[in-house]
Every structure is written in C-alpha cells, then in structure tokens.
Amino acid sequence: MGISKSDHFNERQIEVATFAKALSHPARVAILEYLQKVDSCICGDIVNELPLAQPTISQHLKELKLAGIIKGSIEGNTICYCINKDNWAKFQVLVGNICCPPKSDSKTCC
Amino acid sequence: MGISKSDHFNERQIEVATFAKALSHPARVAILEYLQKVDSCICGDIVNELPLAQPTISQHLKELKLAGIIKGSIEGNTICYCINKDNWAKFQVLVGNICCPPKSDSKTCC
DNA sequence: TTGTAATATCGAAATATTGCGATAAATAAA
DNA sequence: TTTATTTATCGCAATATTTCGATATTACAA
C-alpha cells in the first residue's frame, strides 16, 4: 500500500519487481510473445491478435514500455514496438541471481 | 498463426504472468533474496529483516507459496519456508523462451 | 493446566490495476 | 483541403492489491 516503501527496499529489488510487474498480466506476456514471434512491431497487429480493445492494448504497451521491456519508434503513422533485448537479458540475469546462483556450499534445507 | 482473437490466454501465458505477479513486489523479491542468502527458512527471521508488520509478511509468503515460488513445511512451531527451486528454474526457462531464443533468421527491426 | 512464541486469518481502509467508450492527436491518402 | 487510419489519452466503474491491528490457531514449555 501506502507510503514510499521505495525507501525500504533497494534498487535491485525494485528493479526486479518493476520488470516482473510488467510481466504480471497474461495480455502483456502475449504481447511479448507476439513481438518475438513476428519480430516486427505494429500495434495494430496486436489489437487484431488479442481479445482486448485498442485502448487496453495501448495501455499495456505503455506499461511494457515504461518498464523498459519494449521500445517503440514512430514509423510514419504507425509505431514500431519491439522487445528491448538488452533489458530483457538484464531481467534474466537478475532473476538468475536470486536463485539459484552458483553456490559455494549448498546445504539443502528443503 | 499466433493468438487468435477468440482464444483466451493460454496456460503458458497465465503461468508466466502468475510467477511474475508473485515477483512484482519489492518485499517479495526481498523475501526471496533473504531465503536464498540464509538458505534456511524461518518466517520470524523475515519479519525482523523487513520493514513490514508480521501479518503483511505472512500475506506475502502466502502469495509466494500460492504461486509455487516457495514452499513451507511445519517444523515444530515454526514454519520452514524456502525457494521452490524446480519452479524457479521453470520460470527462468519460460522467461528465456519468450526472448530471445535462438533464431535462425533474425532481422532486426529495432 | 496456564502461559508464551510463531504464524495465519479476518476486516477494513487506502491505493492500484484493468478494461473500455469516447475522444484527441498525428500522419497518410485522396 | 477533407477524410481515413493509427495510436494515445481521458474518465469512470469494477476489481484487485497492500497494509496492519485485532484476533485465532497451533505447538512448545513450565
């Protein structure tokens, strides 16, 4: 809820959470899969692919973009959206670092 | 063809979104990092580590457990929570499969 | 038995997210 | 110019999340 809990968590934790939040809706996962599949990037295509209205897709794209997972560039009167591969790789590294990094001594507790 | 408008989101998309949602709060990321760091699993420890009340931690643990990211087993009057490494690995694979799997012909559009 | 410690659950308030119709803005095409 | 196309934004209702005090539950200890 509430107050600026940003103060209580470190940057890495907030970054992971921000990426994850962008991924936390099936529509946004579907958008990413679609961008990866077609390897090109027109919003209109996505609107035709997903069972959601155009403003809703636009909103999801905005959130993905804000989180740095995709990027868009204007191409005439369409916008070329595509996956930000650098940030995607970064997210994968962050996730991999949480668990299970190469462990020096793994005592298994569970 | 990809996702058609009449389909709802598929299981893989929902699974990714569910995992990601569990990761989408800094407190839950912090909990996971802590579980990984100490490699043992007592809720009380976590309450002392994070700037959140005990019911709040308990709620976050519940969500992580529900998503399959951690598992807990009763040990006397404490509960041993730890990362579900199998599911964590599964999540990493799912994320890796979205982007960027080895592509035979990668025309870069962005 | 009674008391203490560890977790979970309930309830409620504050806040955030989701979805979409209506509409705006920008460019393209005619 | 006018009209169509593409995408973004506004506004609002419905729903979900987050937080924590109060309380319940469970197990151990004395």
Side-chain angles (χ1 to χ4, degrees):
Chain A
M1 198 200 83
I3 321 119
S4 51
K5 310 206 315 57
S6 321
D7 300 337
H8 297 126
F9 299 103
N10 68 38
E11 253 185 55
R12 184 188 59 254
Q13 289 159 348
I14 292 168
E15 191 166 31
V16 172
T18 301
F19 273 124
K21 183 184 259 179
L23 259 187
S24 74
H25 193 291
R28 293 195 287 269
V29 175
I31 287 171
L32 290 174
E33 288 182 344
Y34 184 68
L35 285 181
Q36 174 63 23
K37 192 191 71 166
V38 302
D39 206 1
S40 78
C41 323
I42 298 166
C43 175
D45 281 4
I46 298 167
V47 171
N48 294 331
E49 285 293 313
L50 299 187
L52 293 169
Q54 179 269 327
T56 307
I57 302 285
S58 186
Q59 169 68 14
H60 283 309
L61 287 167
K62 185 181 177 185
E63 276 165 46
L64 286 167
K65 191 178 175 186
L66 210 67
I69 292 187
I70 64 175
K71 47 189 176 177
S73 55
I74 297 170
E75 300 278 335
N77 69 340
T78 70
I79 294 194
C80 166
Y81 274 120
C82 61
I83 297 177
N84 185 328
K85 295 183 180 180
D86 288 346
N87 280 345
W88 190 261
K90 189 176 183 185
F91 178 56
Q92 287 183 262
V93 169
L94 288 169
V95 167
N97 279 344
I98 291 175
C99 179
C100 302
K103 53 240 159 180
S104 39
D105 57 335
S106 67
K107 49 165 177 151
T108 47
C109 88
C110 304
Chain B
M1 316 259 257
I3 308 115
S4 97
K5 189 159 185 157
S6 47
D7 294 338
H8 47 297
F9 300 109
N10 68 37
E11 248 184 62
R12 184 188 58 255
Q13 290 160 346
I14 292 169
E15 190 167 31
V16 172
T18 302
F19 273 125
K21 183 183 260 179
L23 260 186
S24 73
H25 193 291
R28 293 195 287 268
V29 175
I31 286 172
L32 289 174
E33 287 182 344
Y34 184 69
L35 286 181
Q36 174 63 24
K37 192 189 70 169
V38 301
D39 206 3
S40 78
C41 323
I42 298 167
C43 175
D45 282 3
I46 298 168
V47 172
N48 295 330
E49 283 292 309
L50 299 187
L52 293 169
Q54 179 268 325
T56 306
I57 302 286
S58 187
Q59 170 68 12
H60 284 310
L61 287 167
K62 185 182 177 183
E63 276 166 46
L64 285 167
K65 191 177 174 187
L66 211 65
I69 292 187
I70 65 175
K71 47 189 174 177
S73 55
I74 298 169
E75 299 278 335
N77 67 342
T78 70
I79 294 193
C80 166
Y81 275 120
C82 60
I83 297 176
N84 185 328
K85 294 182 181 181
D86 288 346
N87 280 346
W88 190 259
K90 189 176 183 184
F91 178 57
Q92 287 182 261
V93 169
L94 288 170
V95 167
N97 279 344
I98 291 177
C99 180
C100 301
K103 284 205 88 137
S104 41
D105 57 335
S106 65
K107 49 165 178 149
T108 47
C109 87
C110 305

